Amino acid sequence: MTTQTKSTRRWWALAAIAAAQFMVIMDTSIIGIALPRMQGELGFTPESLTWVFNAYVIAFGGLLLLGGRLSDLLGARRVFGAGWVVLAIGSVLAGAAGSVGIELAGRAIQGAGAALIAPSALTLLMMLFGGSPGELTKALAVYGAAAPAGGTAGVFLGGVITEYLSWPWVFYINVPIAVLALIAVPLLMPAAPARKGSIDIAGSITVTAGLAAAVYAIVQAPEVGWASGQTLGVLAVAAALLAGFVVLQSRRAEPLMRLSIFRAPNLAAANFAQFALAAAWVPMWFFLNLYLQQVLGYSAFPSGAALLPMTTLIMLGMVVLAPKAMQRFGAKPMIVTGLLVLGLGLGVMSLVRPTGNFWVDVLPASLVAAGGMSLAFIPSLGTAISAARPEEGGLASGIVNVSYQVGSALGLAAMTALAAAFGAGELGDVTALTDGYSAAFLGAGVLALTGAGIAAATLRTPTGEHN
């Protein structure tokens, strides 16, 4: 095989990896428009409906460390392919569900498949481009830009499919894509030999259960009370499970997550930056869509179109601007500045009005927030992955994906609780809804600004990098 052919195959492989990132993010947003019909047909209560989202995100976030470990032991290509098989199975089950329980089980299986795909995809990316810092930055930019593209495409496709086909097809659409991915894997992806080692199943169960308990407590708190026995009890269980996970990892010879990995310079700080980005960005995306539909009265298509400007800005910022800015300024200034700009955009967005309009209340603030996201995402992602040893690429990829998914789950749960406390539960009352959404935007902005402060205090500037 010629050098040119190998190079061409690498970039086709990157396209497949970016498509995988596109899909796992799309699966979080494609259900949004379909939720009301799912609620009516399957019998979801308003309170339980959020678990169609949370079941996916919790399984995704909770099993990512296992996915990273399996990627290191079994080889990223094998785990990547297995993830598509699991995702397809979960998609068929979710689409064919006739009850709440089956639907949530299907969504959880989808999340488990995504937990195999995401860390192995990043590991494959590092295998393909890790030898060239310049190419790696470009590859990470393409990978990162696939996430907002998937989020926007999910809104559009969810609306089209729900209106012209039926809601089960928001899940069935994954099946032919999974088949294409499985055909592409042996043709494009580099192989890696399996390594000997054990798999920490107990650790996987403990961290997933702990995350699920924490999110459940936060989601239910507005209804049962923050100081209620249920909320405090479930939070205590979550804390105990997560503490037990840490204890298990410290005592096992081959843990799911080697705790000493966090001694690597900047790994913990960069992962916290990813956590803060997700905790601020995902609630903004969620509540902006609700504001457009429930307050401004947009239907599915105009609502999706309203998100296109900031999506386009993010994609251009990540692919075109971020690599050049990284070379000139280095990672730390971009991460801190990006989080600050994201927080500023969310602060402006919190000024939304019940009688507002897209051009004044949505577009300017969303573009500012998108600019902040495009500045911070690639530098924090690249720093988190490159901080680990090469043989722990799967673990590092799993950790950074966990940071982002846990941030999105807990951030959305917390901002949902905040929005409900300020009136977002009063359907039909646009003033109360706007007050709730405004509080969520402001709360997300505070999270972004807090992340900026912590990043400024904890990130180190490597020797030779621009200040």
PDB file of all heavy atoms in Angstrom, residues 214-248:
ATOM      1  N   ALA A 214     -27.473   9.609  41.863  1.00  0.00           N
ATOM      2  CA  ALA A 214     -27.279  11.057  41.987  1.00  0.00           C
ATOM      3  C   ALA A 214     -28.223  11.819  41.071  1.00  0.00           C
ATOM      4  O   ALA A 214     -28.871  12.797  41.487  1.00  0.00           O
ATOM      5  CB  ALA A 214     -25.829  11.412  41.678  1.00  0.00           C
ATOM      6  N   VAL A 215     -28.333  11.381  39.824  1.00  0.00           N
ATOM      7  CA  VAL A 215     -29.214  12.062  38.877  1.00  0.00           C
ATOM      8  C   VAL A 215     -30.672  11.910  39.298  1.00  0.00           C
ATOM      9  O   VAL A 215     -31.448  12.866  39.253  1.00  0.00           O
ATOM     10  CB  VAL A 215     -28.993  11.524  37.453  1.00  0.00           C
ATOM     11  CG1 VAL A 215     -30.018  12.105  36.484  1.00  0.00           C
ATOM     12  CG2 VAL A 215     -27.591  11.853  36.981  1.00  0.00           C
ATOM     13  N   TYR A 216     -31.064  10.720  39.748  1.00  0.00           N
ATOM     14  CA  TYR A 216     -32.441  10.501  40.192  1.00  0.00           C
ATOM     15  C   TYR A 216     -32.796  11.434  41.345  1.00  0.00           C
ATOM     16  O   TYR A 216     -33.884  12.043  41.362  1.00  0.00           O
ATOM     17  CB  TYR A 216     -32.628   9.051  40.614  1.00  0.00           C
ATOM     18  CG  TYR A 216     -34.023   8.742  41.100  1.00  0.00           C
ATOM     19  CD1 TYR A 216     -35.049   8.494  40.197  1.00  0.00           C
ATOM     20  CD2 TYR A 216     -34.327   8.715  42.454  1.00  0.00           C
ATOM     21  CE1 TYR A 216     -36.343   8.224  40.632  1.00  0.00           C
ATOM     22  CE2 TYR A 216     -35.611   8.448  42.911  1.00  0.00           C
ATOM     23  CZ  TYR A 216     -36.618   8.199  41.993  1.00  0.00           C
ATOM     24  OH  TYR A 216     -37.887   7.947  42.419  1.00  0.00           O
ATOM     25  N   ALA A 217     -31.900  11.574  42.304  1.00  0.00           N
ATOM     26  CA  ALA A 217     -32.161  12.437  43.457  1.00  0.00           C
ATOM     27  C   ALA A 217     -32.356  13.884  43.028  1.00  0.00           C
ATOM     28  O   ALA A 217     -33.279  14.568  43.508  1.00  0.00           O
ATOM     29  CB  ALA A 217     -31.011  12.335  44.459  1.00  0.00           C
ATOM     30  N   ILE A 218     -31.529  14.357  42.108  1.00  0.00           N
ATOM     31  CA  ILE A 218     -31.614  15.752  41.679  1.00  0.00           C
ATOM     32  C   ILE A 218     -32.868  15.998  40.848  1.00  0.00           C
ATOM     33  O   ILE A 218     -33.540  17.026  40.986  1.00  0.00           O
ATOM     34  CB  ILE A 218     -30.342  16.140  40.893  1.00  0.00           C
ATOM     35  CG1 ILE A 218     -29.121  16.083  41.822  1.00  0.00           C
ATOM     36  CG2 ILE A 218     -30.469  17.534  40.304  1.00  0.00           C
ATOM     37  CD1 ILE A 218     -27.797  16.247  41.116  1.00  0.00           C
ATOM     38  N   VAL A 219     -33.222  15.045  39.979  1.00  0.00           N
ATOM     39  CA  VAL A 219     -34.411  15.194  39.148  1.00  0.00           C
ATOM     40  C   VAL A 219     -35.682  15.199  39.991  1.00  0.00           C
ATOM     41  O   VAL A 219     -36.623  15.968  39.739  1.00  0.00           O
ATOM     42  CB  VAL A 219     -34.472  14.067  38.089  1.00  0.00           C
ATOM     43  CG1 VAL A 219     -35.822  14.038  37.394  1.00  0.00           C
ATOM     44  CG2 VAL A 219     -33.359  14.252  37.063  1.00  0.00           C
ATOM     45  N   GLN A 220     -35.744  14.360  41.011  1.00  0.00           N
ATOM     46  CA  GLN A 220     -36.942  14.248  41.843  1.00  0.00           C
ATOM     47  C   GLN A 220     -37.026  15.310  42.928  1.00  0.00           C
ATOM     48  O   GLN A 220     -38.095  15.527  43.490  1.00  0.00           O
ATOM     49  CB  GLN A 220     -36.976  12.864  42.502  1.00  0.00           C
ATOM     50  CG  GLN A 220     -37.138  11.708  41.531  1.00  0.00           C
ATOM     51  CD  GLN A 220     -38.491  11.743  40.832  1.00  0.00           C
ATOM     52  OE1 GLN A 220     -38.554  12.006  39.638  1.00  0.00           O
ATOM     53  NE2 GLN A 220     -39.553  11.508  41.572  1.00  0.00           N
ATOM     54  N   ALA A 221     -35.916  15.987  43.219  1.00  0.00           N
ATOM     55  CA  ALA A 221     -35.882  16.923  44.347  1.00  0.00           C
ATOM     56  C   ALA A 221     -36.934  18.029  44.259  1.00  0.00           C
ATOM     57  O   ALA A 221     -37.555  18.360  45.281  1.00  0.00           O
ATOM     58  CB  ALA A 221     -34.484  17.515  44.495  1.00  0.00           C
ATOM     59  N   PRO A 222     -37.166  18.658  43.076  1.00  0.00           N
ATOM     60  CA  PRO A 222     -38.188  19.706  43.044  1.00  0.00           C
ATOM     61  C   PRO A 222     -39.583  19.219  43.434  1.00  0.00           C
ATOM     62  O   PRO A 222     -40.384  19.979  43.962  1.00  0.00           O
ATOM     63  CB  PRO A 222     -38.164  20.168  41.575  1.00  0.00           C
ATOM     64  CG  PRO A 222     -36.808  19.812  41.092  1.00  0.00           C
ATOM     65  CD  PRO A 222     -36.466  18.528  41.793  1.00  0.00           C
ATOM     66  N   GLU A 223     -39.870  17.943  43.165  1.00  0.00           N
ATOM     67  CA  GLU A 223     -41.198  17.405  43.465  1.00  0.00           C
ATOM     68  C   GLU A 223     -41.324  16.982  44.924  1.00  0.00           C
ATOM     69  O   GLU A 223     -42.341  17.267  45.579  1.00  0.00           O
ATOM     70  CB  GLU A 223     -41.485  16.209  42.554  1.00  0.00           C
ATOM     71  CG  GLU A 223     -42.858  15.596  42.763  1.00  0.00           C
ATOM     72  CD  GLU A 223     -43.117  14.423  41.823  1.00  0.00           C
ATOM     73  OE1 GLU A 223     -42.295  14.184  40.932  1.00  0.00           O
ATOM     74  OE2 GLU A 223     -44.152  13.754  42.007  1.00  0.00           O
ATOM     75  N   VAL A 224     -40.314  16.333  45.464  1.00  0.00           N
ATOM     76  CA  VAL A 224     -40.413  15.803  46.833  1.00  0.00           C
ATOM     77  C   VAL A 224     -39.748  16.696  47.868  1.00  0.00           C
ATOM     78  O   VAL A 224     -39.918  16.487  49.067  1.00  0.00           O
ATOM     79  CB  VAL A 224     -39.803  14.385  46.914  1.00  0.00           C
ATOM     80  CG1 VAL A 224     -40.507  13.453  45.943  1.00  0.00           C
ATOM     81  CG2 VAL A 224     -38.299  14.403  46.635  1.00  0.00           C
ATOM     82  N   GLY A 225     -38.965  17.697  47.417  1.00  0.00           N
ATOM     83  CA  GLY A 225     -38.299  18.601  48.351  1.00  0.00           C
ATOM     84  C   GLY A 225     -36.818  18.289  48.487  1.00  0.00           C
ATOM     85  O   GLY A 225     -36.425  17.129  48.605  1.00  0.00           O
ATOM     86  N   TRP A 226     -35.997  19.347  48.474  1.00  0.00           N
ATOM     87  CA  TRP A 226     -34.552  19.162  48.578  1.00  0.00           C
ATOM     88  C   TRP A 226     -34.128  18.638  49.939  1.00  0.00           C
ATOM     89  O   TRP A 226     -33.116  17.955  50.068  1.00  0.00           O
ATOM     90  CB  TRP A 226     -33.829  20.480  48.281  1.00  0.00           C
ATOM     91  CG  TRP A 226     -33.803  20.798  46.821  1.00  0.00           C
ATOM     92  CD1 TRP A 226     -34.669  21.607  46.128  1.00  0.00           C
ATOM     93  CD2 TRP A 226     -32.886  20.295  45.849  1.00  0.00           C
ATOM     94  NE1 TRP A 226     -34.341  21.629  44.791  1.00  0.00           N
ATOM     95  CE2 TRP A 226     -33.244  20.850  44.591  1.00  0.00           C
ATOM     96  CE3 TRP A 226     -31.777  19.442  45.918  1.00  0.00           C
ATOM     97  CZ2 TRP A 226     -32.552  20.569  43.420  1.00  0.00           C
ATOM     98  CZ3 TRP A 226     -31.079  19.174  44.746  1.00  0.00           C
ATOM     99  CH2 TRP A 226     -31.464  19.723  43.517  1.00  0.00           C
ATOM    100  N   ALA A 227     -34.889  18.977  50.964  1.00  0.00           N
ATOM    101  CA  ALA A 227     -34.538  18.532  52.317  1.00  0.00           C
ATOM    102  C   ALA A 227     -35.318  17.297  52.740  1.00  0.00           C
ATOM    103  O   ALA A 227     -35.260  16.895  53.909  1.00  0.00           O
ATOM    104  CB  ALA A 227     -34.774  19.669  53.316  1.00  0.00           C
ATOM    105  N   SER A 228     -36.044  16.672  51.809  1.00  0.00           N
ATOM    106  CA  SER A 228     -36.846  15.502  52.162  1.00  0.00           C
ATOM    107  C   SER A 228     -35.960  14.296  52.445  1.00  0.00           C
ATOM    108  O   SER A 228     -34.801  14.221  52.010  1.00  0.00           O
ATOM    109  CB  SER A 228     -37.810  15.168  51.015  1.00  0.00           C
ATOM    110  OG  SER A 228     -37.082  14.707  49.889  1.00  0.00           O
ATOM    111  N   GLY A 229     -36.532  13.353  53.152  1.00  0.00           N
ATOM    112  CA  GLY A 229     -35.793  12.136  53.442  1.00  0.00           C
ATOM    113  C   GLY A 229     -35.409  11.379  52.184  1.00  0.00           C
ATOM    114  O   GLY A 229     -34.320  10.794  52.118  1.00  0.00           O
ATOM    115  N   GLN A 230     -36.302  11.400  51.176  1.00  0.00           N
ATOM    116  CA  GLN A 230     -35.993  10.682  49.935  1.00  0.00           C
ATOM    117  C   GLN A 230     -34.775  11.288  49.251  1.00  0.00           C
ATOM    118  O   GLN A 230     -33.853  10.559  48.860  1.00  0.00           O
ATOM    119  CB  GLN A 230     -37.186  10.733  48.991  1.00  0.00           C
ATOM    120  CG  GLN A 230     -36.879  10.128  47.614  1.00  0.00           C
ATOM    121  CD  GLN A 230     -38.055  10.189  46.664  1.00  0.00           C
ATOM    122  OE1 GLN A 230     -39.186   9.901  47.052  1.00  0.00           O
ATOM    123  NE2 GLN A 230     -37.802  10.576  45.415  1.00  0.00           N
ATOM    124  N   THR A 231     -34.774  12.621  49.100  1.00  0.00           N
ATOM    125  CA  THR A 231     -33.659  13.272  48.400  1.00  0.00           C
ATOM    126  C   THR A 231     -32.349  13.048  49.135  1.00  0.00           C
ATOM    127  O   THR A 231     -31.336  12.641  48.537  1.00  0.00           O
ATOM    128  CB  THR A 231     -33.927  14.774  48.259  1.00  0.00           C
ATOM    129  OG1 THR A 231     -35.124  14.971  47.509  1.00  0.00           O
ATOM    130  CG2 THR A 231     -32.765  15.465  47.553  1.00  0.00           C
ATOM    131  N   LEU A 232     -32.352  13.300  50.444  1.00  0.00           N
ATOM    132  CA  LEU A 232     -31.121  13.147  51.219  1.00  0.00           C
ATOM    133  C   LEU A 232     -30.673  11.691  51.262  1.00  0.00           C
ATOM    134  O   LEU A 232     -29.473  11.388  51.187  1.00  0.00           O
ATOM    135  CB  LEU A 232     -31.326  13.683  52.638  1.00  0.00           C
ATOM    136  CG  LEU A 232     -31.623  15.196  52.732  1.00  0.00           C
ATOM    137  CD1 LEU A 232     -31.891  15.598  54.182  1.00  0.00           C
ATOM    138  CD2 LEU A 232     -30.464  16.009  52.159  1.00  0.00           C
ATOM    139  N   GLY A 233     -31.642  10.777  51.360  1.00  0.00           N
ATOM    140  CA  GLY A 233     -31.294   9.358  51.420  1.00  0.00           C
ATOM    141  C   GLY A 233     -30.676   8.858  50.123  1.00  0.00           C
ATOM    142  O   GLY A 233     -29.662   8.149  50.132  1.00  0.00           O
ATOM    143  N   VAL A 234     -31.289   9.250  48.982  1.00  0.00           N
ATOM    144  CA  VAL A 234     -30.760   8.795  47.694  1.00  0.00           C
ATOM    145  C   VAL A 234     -29.400   9.427  47.407  1.00  0.00           C
ATOM    146  O   VAL A 234     -28.493   8.781  46.878  1.00  0.00           O
ATOM    147  CB  VAL A 234     -31.760   9.102  46.563  1.00  0.00           C
ATOM    148  CG1 VAL A 234     -31.180   8.697  45.214  1.00  0.00           C
ATOM    149  CG2 VAL A 234     -33.070   8.361  46.793  1.00  0.00           C
ATOM    150  N   LEU A 235     -29.231  10.702  47.784  1.00  0.00           N
ATOM    151  CA  LEU A 235     -27.920  11.338  47.613  1.00  0.00           C
ATOM    152  C   LEU A 235     -26.859  10.648  48.467  1.00  0.00           C
ATOM    153  O   LEU A 235     -25.708  10.502  48.045  1.00  0.00           O
ATOM    154  CB  LEU A 235     -28.000  12.820  47.974  1.00  0.00           C
ATOM    155  CG  LEU A 235     -28.668  13.734  46.938  1.00  0.00           C
ATOM    156  CD1 LEU A 235     -28.781  15.151  47.475  1.00  0.00           C
ATOM    157  CD2 LEU A 235     -27.889  13.732  45.620  1.00  0.00           C
ATOM    158  N   ALA A 236     -27.256  10.230  49.674  1.00  0.00           N
ATOM    159  CA  ALA A 236     -26.313   9.509  50.537  1.00  0.00           C
ATOM    160  C   ALA A 236     -25.921   8.173  49.911  1.00  0.00           C
ATOM    161  O   ALA A 236     -24.744   7.771  49.953  1.00  0.00           O
ATOM    162  CB  ALA A 236     -26.928   9.289  51.921  1.00  0.00           C
ATOM    163  N   VAL A 237     -26.897   7.483  49.313  1.00  0.00           N
ATOM    164  CA  VAL A 237     -26.593   6.223  48.626  1.00  0.00           C
ATOM    165  C   VAL A 237     -25.647   6.475  47.454  1.00  0.00           C
ATOM    166  O   VAL A 237     -24.683   5.727  47.242  1.00  0.00           O
ATOM    167  CB  VAL A 237     -27.900   5.558  48.143  1.00  0.00           C
ATOM    168  CG1 VAL A 237     -27.591   4.386  47.221  1.00  0.00           C
ATOM    169  CG2 VAL A 237     -28.718   5.080  49.335  1.00  0.00           C
ATOM    170  N   ALA A 238     -25.917   7.539  46.693  1.00  0.00           N
ATOM    171  CA  ALA A 238     -25.043   7.875  45.556  1.00  0.00           C
ATOM    172  C   ALA A 238     -23.623   8.143  46.028  1.00  0.00           C
ATOM    173  O   ALA A 238     -22.653   7.650  45.429  1.00  0.00           O
ATOM    174  CB  ALA A 238     -25.597   9.089  44.818  1.00  0.00           C
ATOM    175  N   ALA A 239     -23.498   8.928  47.103  1.00  0.00           N
ATOM    176  CA  ALA A 239     -22.161   9.246  47.620  1.00  0.00           C
ATOM    177  C   ALA A 239     -21.451   7.984  48.094  1.00  0.00           C
ATOM    178  O   ALA A 239     -20.246   7.808  47.870  1.00  0.00           O
ATOM    179  CB  ALA A 239     -22.277  10.257  48.763  1.00  0.00           C
ATOM    180  N   ALA A 240     -22.197   7.095  48.754  1.00  0.00           N
ATOM    181  CA  ALA A 240     -21.598   5.858  49.257  1.00  0.00           C
ATOM    182  C   ALA A 240     -21.134   4.968  48.096  1.00  0.00           C
ATOM    183  O   ALA A 240     -20.048   4.372  48.143  1.00  0.00           O
ATOM    184  CB  ALA A 240     -22.603   5.111  50.126  1.00  0.00           C
ATOM    185  N   LEU A 241     -21.947   4.876  47.040  1.00  0.00           N
ATOM    186  CA  LEU A 241     -21.574   4.054  45.889  1.00  0.00           C
ATOM    187  C   LEU A 241     -20.338   4.618  45.185  1.00  0.00           C
ATOM    188  O   LEU A 241     -19.423   3.868  44.819  1.00  0.00           O
ATOM    189  CB  LEU A 241     -22.739   3.974  44.910  1.00  0.00           C
ATOM    190  CG  LEU A 241     -23.915   3.078  45.330  1.00  0.00           C
ATOM    191  CD1 LEU A 241     -25.122   3.326  44.439  1.00  0.00           C
ATOM    192  CD2 LEU A 241     -23.514   1.610  45.272  1.00  0.00           C
ATOM    193  N   LEU A 242     -20.309   5.929  44.995  1.00  0.00           N
ATOM    194  CA  LEU A 242     -19.158   6.532  44.327  1.00  0.00           C
ATOM    195  C   LEU A 242     -17.905   6.446  45.188  1.00  0.00           C
ATOM    196  O   LEU A 242     -16.799   6.232  44.670  1.00  0.00           O
ATOM    197  CB  LEU A 242     -19.476   7.982  43.958  1.00  0.00           C
ATOM    198  CG  LEU A 242     -20.591   8.145  42.911  1.00  0.00           C
ATOM    199  CD1 LEU A 242     -20.935   9.611  42.708  1.00  0.00           C
ATOM    200  CD2 LEU A 242     -20.196   7.510  41.585  1.00  0.00           C
ATOM    201  N   ALA A 243     -18.080   6.594  46.502  1.00  0.00           N
ATOM    202  CA  ALA A 243     -16.930   6.410  47.393  1.00  0.00           C
ATOM    203  C   ALA A 243     -16.458   4.956  47.368  1.00  0.00           C
ATOM    204  O   ALA A 243     -15.251   4.674  47.377  1.00  0.00           O
ATOM    205  CB  ALA A 243     -17.303   6.822  48.814  1.00  0.00           C
ATOM    206  N   GLY A 244     -17.430   4.027  47.315  1.00  0.00           N
ATOM    207  CA  GLY A 244     -17.063   2.615  47.207  1.00  0.00           C
ATOM    208  C   GLY A 244     -16.316   2.315  45.926  1.00  0.00           C
ATOM    209  O   GLY A 244     -15.381   1.498  45.909  1.00  0.00           O
ATOM    210  N   PHE A 245     -16.693   2.993  44.840  1.00  0.00           N
ATOM    211  CA  PHE A 245     -15.980   2.832  43.579  1.00  0.00           C
ATOM    212  C   PHE A 245     -14.520   3.258  43.725  1.00  0.00           C
ATOM    213  O   PHE A 245     -13.611   2.561  43.267  1.00  0.00           O
ATOM    214  CB  PHE A 245     -16.668   3.660  42.489  1.00  0.00           C
ATOM    215  CG  PHE A 245     -15.885   3.761  41.212  1.00  0.00           C
ATOM    216  CD1 PHE A 245     -15.764   2.672  40.368  1.00  0.00           C
ATOM    217  CD2 PHE A 245     -15.269   4.950  40.861  1.00  0.00           C
ATOM    218  CE1 PHE A 245     -15.031   2.765  39.185  1.00  0.00           C
ATOM    219  CE2 PHE A 245     -14.542   5.052  39.687  1.00  0.00           C
ATOM    220  CZ  PHE A 245     -14.431   3.957  38.840  1.00  0.00           C
ATOM    221  N   VAL A 246     -14.299   4.393  44.388  1.00  0.00           N
ATOM    222  CA  VAL A 246     -12.924   4.871  44.582  1.00  0.00           C
ATOM    223  C   VAL A 246     -12.124   3.872  45.418  1.00  0.00           C
ATOM    224  O   VAL A 246     -10.965   3.569  45.117  1.00  0.00           O
ATOM    225  CB  VAL A 246     -12.933   6.261  45.251  1.00  0.00           C
ATOM    226  CG1 VAL A 246     -11.512   6.692  45.620  1.00  0.00           C
ATOM    227  CG2 VAL A 246     -13.568   7.289  44.323  1.00  0.00           C
ATOM    228  N   VAL A 247     -12.757   3.335  46.466  1.00  0.00           N
ATOM    229  CA  VAL A 247     -12.076   2.353  47.308  1.00  0.00           C
ATOM    230  C   VAL A 247     -11.725   1.102  46.499  1.00  0.00           C
ATOM    231  O   VAL A 247     -10.611   0.563  46.589  1.00  0.00           O
ATOM    232  CB  VAL A 247     -12.947   1.981  48.526  1.00  0.00           C
ATOM    233  CG1 VAL A 247     -12.329   0.816  49.295  1.00  0.00           C
ATOM    234  CG2 VAL A 247     -13.107   3.187  49.438  1.00  0.00           C
ATOM    235  N   LEU A 248     -12.685   0.640  45.687  1.00  0.00           N
ATOM    236  CA  LEU A 248     -12.421  -0.534  44.854  1.00  0.00           C
ATOM    237  C   LEU A 248     -11.236  -0.295  43.914  1.00  0.00           C
ATOM    238  O   LEU A 248     -10.376  -1.167  43.735  1.00  0.00           O
ATOM    239  CB  LEU A 248     -13.667  -0.867  44.023  1.00  0.00           C
ATOM    240  CG  LEU A 248     -14.803  -1.614  44.715  1.00  0.00           C
ATOM    241  CD1 LEU A 248     -16.018  -1.689  43.797  1.00  0.00           C
ATOM    242  CD2 LEU A 248     -14.361  -3.014  45.117  1.00  0.00           C
TER     243      LEU A 248
END
